[in-house]
Amino acid sequence: MIFYGYKGTHVRTAPLPGVACPFCAATDTLHVSLFSRYAHVYYIPLFPFSKPLAAACTSCHMSWDNKALPAALQAPLRAVKQDTRMPLWTWSGTALLLLGLGWAAVAGARNDRENNAFLAAPHVGDIYTVRAKDDDKNYSLLKVVGVKGPTVDVVANEYVINNNHPIDELNAPNKYSKESFSLSRFELQIMQNKGQLTDVDRLED
Ligand SMILES: [Zn+2]
């Protein structure tokens, strides 16, 4: 199976009025066809990278491709090429990719703002994603069970998981320790700044 490669699409065929055929010398018998060659992945066009063209004479049926154009045809063909708008859809995969990146950036920024707001005003039930101690790849959870002024009481999840979004897997009541401990909001802030606390979730009931 081929997942990537390139394809060509026919863009336009135009006459070349007033240009004499280099082979049979007839005029007004030449036509040029323009193509766009584009890279694709899974048949989604990514970007165009060349504009091959071919010319043919309807009188003598001689034809010439991109690589072997007679000198007399080069200037008129270049003019047609410049006059032809190449199809924008050959960029559609790249456009989708950029949209996706933009969306991810917007979603990331919103999540950061949300995390900061949740951390500044903790609620019972908030769940903090934290890195396991001395272990970059593993994550666990802290759950807020009480808020008293500048401190929050949390219970630690007793499991770690090699996934930076552990909440789906670990957020079950029986997976948390029974014993709570206190953290100040200042400590939470420091944990967030150091990248030890990576996410805050407030689950809606
Ligand atoms: Zn001809």
Side-chain angles (χ1 to χ4, degrees):
M1 274 199 282
I2 297 167
F3 299 127
Y4 63 92
Y6 65 84
K7 287 159 80 86
T9 184
H10 173 251
V11 178
R12 179 189 178 199
T13 294
L16 288 175
V19 180
C21 170
F23 195 70
C24 72
T27 48
D28 299 338
T29 57
L30 290 170
H31 287 77
V32 56
S33 293
L34 285 128
F35 303 86
S36 173
R37 200 167 278 168
Y38 60 91
H40 71 86
V41 174
Y42 290 97
Y43 303 103
I44 300 166
L46 285 181
F47 54 84
F49 61 90
S50 74
K51 305 176 199 172
L53 50 78
C57 173
T58 53
S59 173
C60 68
H61 300 294
M62 192 63 184
S63 65
W64 301 269
D65 77 4
N66 221 27
K67 293 180 209 94
L69 287 179
L73 292 184
Q74 285 180 5
L77 291 187
R78 208 175 306 132
V80 174
K81 203 171 187 173
Q82 272 163 10
D83 201 35
T84 302
R85 189 185 288 260
M86 289 316 224
L88 280 176
W89 62 259
T90 54
W91 288 98
S92 49
T94 300
L96 279 175
L97 206 66
L98 290 175
L99 277 176
L101 289 175
W103 179 85
V106 167
R110 196 177 56 197
N111 188 44
D112 285 349
R113 277 202 305 277
E114 213 173 68
N115 284 353
N116 292 341
F118 289 166
L119 215 53
H123 278 194
V124 169
D126 285 356
I127 293 164
Y128 304 143
T129 296
V130 291
R131 284 184 201 274
K133 276 203 176 66
D134 306 322
D135 189 341
D136 275 349
K137 289 182 212 72
N138 288 321
Y139 293 81
S140 190
L141 299 171
L142 296 175
K143 186 162 75 173
V144 176
V145 293
V147 181
K148 296 174 203 144
T151 61
V152 293
D153 292 336
V154 296
V155 287
N157 199 285
E158 291 177 325
Y159 297 81
V160 296
I161 188 172
N162 184 2
N163 176 341
N164 66 5
H165 195 72
I167 190 162
D168 300 330
E169 197 100 4
L170 299 187
N171 186 35
N174 61 350
K175 290 185 174 170
Y176 287 95
S177 159
K178 301 277 175 289
E179 286 184 40
S180 69
F181 60 99
S182 296
L183 288 168
S184 70
R185 291 190 198 183
F186 185 61
E187 284 172 301
L188 289 171
Q189 199 71 61
I190 288 170
M191 286 169 70
Q192 190 197 28
N193 291 344
K194 282 184 171 174
Q196 291 164 344
L197 188 161
T198 59
D199 198 14
V200 184
D201 289 286
R202 181 166 292 169
L203 304 181
E204 309 295 335
D205 305 306

